[in-house]
Amino acid sequence: MYSSPLDFASDVRLVFENAMLYNPKTDEVHGMAHQLLSYFEMLFRPIQAKLPTNQRTPDRSKKPKFSDPVAPVLSKQNHSTASKPIIPPVVQPPKRTPCQCRLQNHNQNRSNRHQL
């Protein structure tokens, strides 16, 4: 739970700033993170305006700043492998064959049941 709306906003910003930091500008992840950050800022602005004046400015001195707008790249040719989904190969389970010791135990247990 967050102690203030600014703490929440700080974490949201960190998510999008990290997406932009660790994905190249030509990647659609970078562009979409930039768009979502802009959209979040637009939605958060009225909430921030309602906060007391001394709480309106978050401490962002430790975080990277991104000022140049980047349009998302929708072309799959420039899409990095880091953002492509990884689909594991389908692995068939091994065929189970009954173990001889299990069959012997099973047969013994069956015969013991009938003797009771």
Side-chain angles (χ1 to χ4, degrees):
M1 182 174 287
Y2 292 100
S3 60
S4 76
L6 290 177
D7 290 341
F8 168 75
S10 178
D11 278 356
V12 171
R13 289 179 182 116
L14 180 63
V15 168
F16 295 129
E17 288 171 349
N18 280 342
M20 291 187 298
L21 181 65
Y22 293 106
N23 289 282
K25 289 183 179 184
T26 57
D27 195 289
E28 68 181 329
V29 171
H30 183 103
M32 289 184 180
H34 187 272
Q35 284 183 341
L36 289 169
L37 179 59
S38 298
Y39 187 63
F40 171 76
E41 295 293 351
M42 180 187 73
L43 294 175
F44 189 71
R45 200 170 296 125
I47 296 168
Q48 192 169 359
K50 293 179 183 179
L51 296 175
T53 309
N54 62 346
Q55 291 185 359
R56 288 189 188 171
T57 309
D59 179 23
R60 296 180 51 147
S61 60
K62 298 177 184 174
K63 297 181 182 168
K65 297 187 188 230
F66 298 95
S67 57
D68 54 343
V70 177
V73 177
L74 300 177
S75 168
K76 292 293 180 185
Q77 296 170 354
N78 294 335
H79 196 23
S80 75
T81 57
S83 59
K84 288 183 183 176
I86 299 172
I87 301 171
V90 177
V91 177
Q92 296 295 328
K95 291 186 178 185
R96 298 184 74 176
T97 57
C99 176
Q100 289 300 321
C101 62
R102 283 188 183 171
L103 285 176
Q104 288 172 356
N105 288 339
H106 178 72
N107 289 336
Q108 285 176 354
N109 288 339
R110 258 179 126 189
S111 62
N112 289 342
R113 275 189 243 144
H114 293 298
Q115 292 175 355
L116 294 176

